[in-house]
Amino acid sequence: MTLYEQDFYQWTQQQAGLLKAGRWREIDREHLVEEIETMGRSERAQLETRLGVLLMHLLKWQYQPKLRSRSWLATIKEQRRRVGRLIDRNPSLTHVLGESLAIAYGDAVLMAEEETGISEEAFPAQCPYTLEEVLDSKFRPDT
């Protein structure tokens, strides 16, 4: 069993030390590449998760106007801030925003169905909001 499999944290510290020392031949290239790729996917997954929560609350806001709450509004604001920070820290995610929005919308519909009891079929098949609207701090969908 390798150190990578036995103690991931220790493996990360070892690899960092080897990189700092320039001991290239001793680096566990296979696992290091795998971990770096995973880190990139993780940033994108976080973007899609945050967009999904944001979209779910926008749908709830639109489809349940009588139940609107400060809590929903706070979640909308928070997710917009977090999406903005994520993009600021990872500007290349801008290039996948459209695709991520479409993926997140599918998740948002399922979450909205679960939270509201409104059938999945009642929501549009495609995201009814533009990317600009979704990220606009002043935008609130009205029925």
Side-chain angles (χ1 to χ4, degrees):
M1 185 175 277
T2 66
L3 181 58
Y4 177 81
E5 297 163 325
Q6 288 177 328
D7 187 337
F8 181 74
Y9 177 75
Q10 185 179 357
W11 174 86
T12 63
Q13 300 311 294
Q14 177 193 62
Q15 295 306 301
L18 292 171
L19 286 167
K20 286 177 187 176
R23 293 167 52 191
W24 312 117
R25 292 178 190 218
E26 298 173 56
I27 292 172
D28 181 355
R29 269 197 343 242
E30 180 183 334
H31 288 123
L32 192 57
V33 167
E34 181 182 324
E35 291 305 320
I36 290 172
E37 289 173 342
T38 299
M39 288 168 44
R41 285 190 301 271
S42 174
E43 293 299 307
R44 184 166 178 174
Q46 184 179 161
L47 175 65
E48 291 169 3
T49 297
R50 300 220 173 273
L51 285 171
V53 172
L54 172 55
L55 288 167
M56 176 194 56
H57 280 80
L58 291 174
L59 288 171
K60 287 169 48 173
W61 189 269
Q62 181 174 354
Y63 283 82
Q64 293 187 311
K66 292 181 181 175
L67 299 177
R68 290 176 182 166
S69 69
R70 291 188 324 185
S71 170
W72 290 0
L73 193 55
T75 298
I76 289 168
K77 288 178 179 181
E78 175 189 1
Q79 294 307 316
R80 282 181 171 146
R81 267 194 341 271
R82 290 180 182 238
V83 166
R85 277 199 312 261
L86 189 58
I87 292 168
D88 287 346
R89 291 180 187 146
N90 302 278
S92 64
L93 286 175
T94 303
H95 303 294
V96 297
L97 269 170
E99 183 181 337
S100 293
L101 184 70
I103 291 167
Y105 180 70
D107 297 339
V109 167
L110 295 177
M111 290 186 289
E113 177 185 43
E114 181 69 27
E115 286 204 14
T116 66
I118 298 172
S119 170
E120 176 183 345
E121 290 77 26
F123 298 108
Q126 303 294 319
C127 184
Y129 321 118
T130 66
L131 181 59
E132 291 75 23
E133 289 172 331
V134 170
L135 299 178
D136 181 352
S137 65
K138 293 179 179 30
F139 173 73
R140 308 281 181 281
D142 291 315
T143 55

